[in-house]
Amino acid sequence: MSAPDAPPRPATRSGGRLVVLVSGAGSNLAALLAAHDRPGYPARVVGVVADRASAGGLELARRAGVPTAVVAPADFADRAAWDAGVAEAIAVFRPDLVVSAGFMRILGAAVLDRWPGRVVNTHPALLPSFPGAHAVRDALAFGAKVTGCTLHVVDAGVDTGPVIAQVAVAVEPGDDEAGLHERIKVAERALLVDWVARVVAGGMRVDGRVVTVG
Ligand code: GRF
């Protein structure tokens, strides 16, 4: 006798409040900030959380008048305390959707259990190929001819969550890591802005590995 299938998770229809998590320059954040000024865009960035005070994304947020918070691991006693601190920093902004956009840390249960199925991440490769922090370098080293970017639901693993959307980017002869990453990021920003809007406007259902939006 086979075990009954787990019941599908209910569709998430989020309102448009986005909290964006950043570690670096924040070009993905900039794309969302630009989008939220467009008439008819269904989402807006209401808070930005960074794991380091030097993250360029913080300055982008401030210039856009968006409140920020910094949760540096060094300011917390241990990993569990940091996880809880990240969840609290996000919760202050009452998000409908949490967007990890270049946030270079693994999110813990304190975040994932508080917003189940409502935390998404953008990754610069076609998952499940090349997970982790060096996706572009790894794709080049492997000799891949096509790579790209993935928007996925975050689960407890490293870039293992169900895929929402992907775009392919060709690897050109002579590409180096920086040049290829820049081309991927052009595709990544468009993918992120487009699919965040679709998730917010239409809702998202996650059945096992399969994500349905709208
Ligand atoms: C993006 O390619 C993201 O997927 C990766 O790091 C990059 C961050 O870029 N994890 P930015 O900070 O949004 O400019």
Side-chain angles (χ1 to χ4, degrees), residues 70-136:
V70 176
V71 281
D75 295 338
F76 295 85
D78 54 23
R79 166 78 208 204
W82 180 79
D83 283 341
V86 175
E88 283 311 308
I90 294 171
V92 165
F93 302 121
R94 292 181 290 110
D96 297 305
L97 191 67
V98 179
V99 181
S100 163
F103 190 67
M104 303 306 282
R105 294 184 190 275
I106 308 301
L107 292 165
V111 172
L112 301 182
D113 292 351
R114 191 151 176 176
W115 296 280
R118 286 196 287 147
V119 183
V120 301
N121 178 56
T122 177
H123 181 76
L126 293 176
L127 294 170
S129 293
F130 312 119
H134 306 294
V136 180

Side-chain angles (χ1 to χ4, degrees), residues 12-18 41-44 96-97 99 193-204 213-214:
T12 300
R13 185 183 292 276
S14 68
R17 296 177 63 85
L18 308 179
Y41 193 76
R44 68 201 161 96
D96 297 305
L97 191 67
V99 181
V193 167
D194 181 14
W195 282 87
V196 162
R198 293 184 196 216
V199 167
V200 165
M204 176 167 68
V213 174

Side-chain angles (χ1 to χ4, degrees), residues 58-74:
L58 290 171
E59 184 54 30
L60 294 176
R62 287 185 201 114
R63 271 193 255 137
V66 172
T68 63
V70 176
V71 281

Side-chain angles (χ1 to χ4, degrees), residues 28 148-149 167-169 182-192:
N28 283 290
C149 50
V167 169
V169 174
E182 276 314 309
R183 279 209 320 288
I184 291 171
K185 283 173 74 168
V186 171
E188 196 177 9
R189 292 191 286 268
L191 181 80
L192 182 66

